[in-house]
Amino acid sequence: MSATYETPSQTSGWAMGWATFAAIMLIVGGIWGVIVGIAAIAEDEFFVVTPEWVFQFDATTWGWTHLIVGVAFVASGIGIFSGNVLARTVGVIVAGLSAIANFAWLPYYPVWAIVAIAVDIAIIWALTAHGRDLVAR
């Protein structure tokens, strides 16, 4: 005898909500990242940089990082609405990279970095647990 598993015929509204949340947060976070990236690239003195921390990066380096990750966030968020599996995969990867980058950003902007890490974790959870539910509808 083999076990059979039934899949629900309808997706949960909660699951759809979490997947939609993840896609929207990727797009919004990506737009913020692009804006921060452009600001850091255009004007090095826009951000206060203190030399006391272990991770020391030039503001322009952080700007390019935020710009590139921000564009990937936006593209992934848009792709998730179309049900693209690659977009979900990229979303999980860039959210993970963003969480790591924000961990390094903790000494400079602790509250913002903690909030961003929490949102990144929520995005990863939503895309891995409920990402395919948007396609089912």
Side-chain angles (χ1 to χ4, degrees):
M1 272 190 165
S2 66
T4 59
Y5 297 99
E6 292 184 25
T7 57
S9 59
Q10 275 191 322
T11 58
S12 161
W14 282 97
M16 296 253 325
W18 276 107
T20 302
F21 164 81
I24 290 171
M25 288 309 295
L26 281 168
I27 293 169
V28 170
I31 292 169
W32 287 344
V34 168
I35 291 169
V36 168
I38 291 171
I41 293 167
E43 185 63 45
D44 276 348
E45 287 80 35
F46 184 78
F47 293 102
V48 176
V49 179
T50 59
E52 302 170 11
W53 306 106
V54 174
F55 299 108
Q56 295 179 8
F57 298 102
D58 180 52
T60 304
T61 303
W62 273 112
W64 281 107
T65 303
H66 276 80
L67 182 65
I68 292 166
V69 171
V71 169
F73 261 46
V74 172
S76 176
I78 292 169
I80 288 167
F81 282 119
S82 69
N84 189 320
V85 175
L86 179 61
R88 284 198 328 254
T89 304
V90 170
V92 170
I93 291 168
V94 295
L97 291 174
S98 173
I100 293 167
N102 279 297
F103 183 76
W105 195 258
L106 265 170
Y108 305 106
Y109 294 101
V111 174
W112 178 254
I114 290 169
V115 169
I117 290 168
V119 170
D120 290 331
I121 291 168
I123 289 170
I124 292 167
W125 175 78
L127 292 179
T128 55
H130 304 294
R132 71 178 65 94
D133 292 330
L134 281 176
V135 180
R137 281 277 174 176

